[in-house]
């Protein structure tokens, strides 16, 4: 891999990062989330050679680059303009984002010499006609921010030909209940979260959307550096046995 120019590295140092990404042997971006200690919890296949993978809601691309490193051909999907996110009306931004979401991704891609293709598509509008189908679909902390989690899961099922890996926040108190349920959180000011499902409901929704062999792989607490608290996450694996 060619050494990145000083100009690229200077830009990377000035960028605001969501993900901590090791861009060179001695430079890691200072992200809002450092996912490196949690990679094993997600359970990606060790090697992904010959597989086509989709990273939904890629932001700076941590998972897209990780899957590429394991040998996959990767497409990374996100929106650029934060107005496209599912904001509740009272908090929806009136102006376009000052920093389009893909800026860090493109910089990291160039420095890493990556071939990941980033597409600017809302998951609600993503179709196999446009993107093709994927052996592995990865979706990390995206559904939790959507008003219509089931519609997004239906779109994801149509894009997936084999495996799905999902990691999402879950509601701890209601996870103790013996039935699937979500807590209403749309008025929570700190984040965009409409429905916070318990673990049973996440599994149920995956099945409803068309996935089979739905299994919880693990639970862990993800450290949010800027807000200084842990966010409870569960990882689910599922298969798409029927087309
Ligand atoms: C909390 S971040 C998670 C980033 C990354 N997947 C991870 O696991 O660290 C949520 C990402 O989902 C994207 N996103 C939110 N709503 C989306 C939508 N409707 N369609 C596509 N991407 C969306 C956001 O732009 C953001 O990049």
């Amino acid at each position: 891999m060619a050494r990145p120019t000083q100009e690229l590295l200077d830009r990377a140092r000035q960028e605001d990062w969501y993900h901590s990404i090791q861009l060179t042997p001695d430079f890691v971006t200072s992200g809002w989330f450092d996912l490196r200690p949690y990679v094993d919890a997600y359970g990606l296949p060790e090697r992904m050679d010959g597989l086509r993978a989709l990273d939904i809601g890629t932001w700076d691309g941590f998972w897209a680059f990780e899957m590429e490193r394991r040998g996959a051909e990767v497409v990374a999907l996100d929106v650029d303009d934060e107005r496209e996110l599912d904001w509740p009306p009272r908090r929806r931004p009136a102006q376009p984002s000052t920093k389009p979401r893909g800026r860090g991704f493109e910089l990291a891609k160039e420095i890493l010499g990556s071939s990941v293709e980033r597409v600017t598509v809302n998951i609600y509008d993503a179709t196999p006609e446009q993107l093709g189908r994927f052996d592995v679909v990865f979706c990390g902390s995206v559904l939790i921010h959507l008003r219509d989690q089931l519609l997004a899961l239906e779109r994801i099922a149509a894009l997936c030909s084999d495996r799905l890996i999902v990691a999402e926040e879950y509601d701890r108190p209601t996870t103790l209940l013996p039935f699937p349920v979500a807590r209403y959180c749309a008025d929570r000011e700190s984040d965009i979260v409409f429905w916070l499902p318990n673990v049973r409901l996440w599994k149920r929704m995956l099945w409803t959307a068309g996935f089979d062999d739905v299994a919880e792989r693990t639970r862990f607490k993800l450290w949010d550096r800027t807000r200084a608290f842990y966010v409870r996450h569960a990882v689910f694996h599922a298969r798409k046995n029927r087309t």
Side-chain angles (χ1 to χ4, degrees):
M1 198 183 96
R3 237 189 109 61
T5 61
Q6 195 54 46
E7 185 262 328
L8 274 179
L9 289 174
D10 288 345
R11 273 171 50 205
R13 284 201 176 85
Q14 283 156 22
E15 187 63 60
D16 290 329
W17 294 92
Y18 177 80
H19 287 135
S20 293
I21 304 178
Q22 178 108 40
L23 291 182
T24 67
D26 48 15
F27 176 49
V28 179
T29 62
S30 175
W32 187 349
F33 287 94
D34 186 354
L35 296 165
R36 293 173 298 161
Y38 306 102
V39 168
D40 286 348
Y42 287 72
L44 290 174
E46 269 314 305
R47 291 298 317 165
M48 298 179 72
D49 308 85
L51 299 180
R52 196 163 182 257
L54 175 67
D55 178 26
I56 297 172
T58 195
W59 206 319
D60 293 331
F62 177 86
W63 291 109
F65 301 132
E66 179 61 31
M67 292 194 285
E68 181 182 52
R69 202 179 62 77
R70 292 174 190 234
E73 178 200 320
V74 184
V75 174
L77 173 152
D78 213 322
V79 296
D80 278 345
D81 186 341
E82 288 192 350
R83 287 177 301 176
E84 272 202 54
L85 303 178
D86 277 0
W87 293 95
R90 291 174 198 281
R91 292 196 282 134
R92 195 168 297 147
Q95 304 300 326
S97 337
T98 48
K99 184 204 157 197
R101 199 139 281 197
R103 210 169 71 183
F105 176 94
E106 292 304 339
L107 195 49
K109 172 175 167 168
E110 198 173 344
I111 294 173
L112 293 169
S114 159
S115 305
V116 172
E117 181 196 357
R118 183 180 182 279
V119 292
T120 311
V121 177
N122 195 307
I123 189 58
Y124 292 132
D125 304 324
T127 61
E129 289 71 28
Q130 182 188 19
L131 302 175
R133 294 175 81 225
F134 298 86
D135 305 292
V136 178
V137 176
F138 182 91
C139 182
S141 311
V142 178
L143 299 168
I144 191 66
H145 300 299
L146 302 183
R147 185 188 294 114
D148 195 336
Q149 296 161 338
L150 267 174
L151 176 61
L153 276 170
E154 268 191 54
R155 297 285 186 261
I156 293 170
L159 293 163
C160 182
S161 58
D162 186 13
R163 273 186 231 214
L164 173 70
I165 300 174
V166 170
E168 294 291 346
E169 184 180 349
Y170 66 92
D171 188 41
R172 181 151 185 273
T174 58
T175 288
L176 302 172
L177 299 172
F179 47 82
V181 66
R183 197 150 58 84
Y184 180 68
C185 293
D187 299 329
R188 187 165 102 168
E189 285 286 325
S190 60
D191 214 341
I192 307 176
V193 175
F194 291 84
W195 321 104
L196 187 56
N198 68 359
V199 166
R200 278 176 210 272
L201 182 57
W202 278 125
K203 287 170 72 175
R204 199 70 208 153
M205 287 197 293
L206 288 166
W207 184 85
T208 306
F211 286 97
D212 306 286
D213 306 334
V214 178
E216 181 187 346
R217 179 186 154 81
T218 193
R219 295 177 199 181
F220 66 94
K221 288 193 270 181
L222 183 60
W223 178 243
D224 180 338
R225 194 172 66 81
T226 53
R227 290 183 291 184
F229 66 72
Y230 284 101
V231 188
R232 287 177 189 277
H233 271 64
V235 178
F236 304 96
H237 283 197
R239 305 301 285 219
K240 187 74 187 311
N241 295 340
R242 286 158 293 124
T243 50

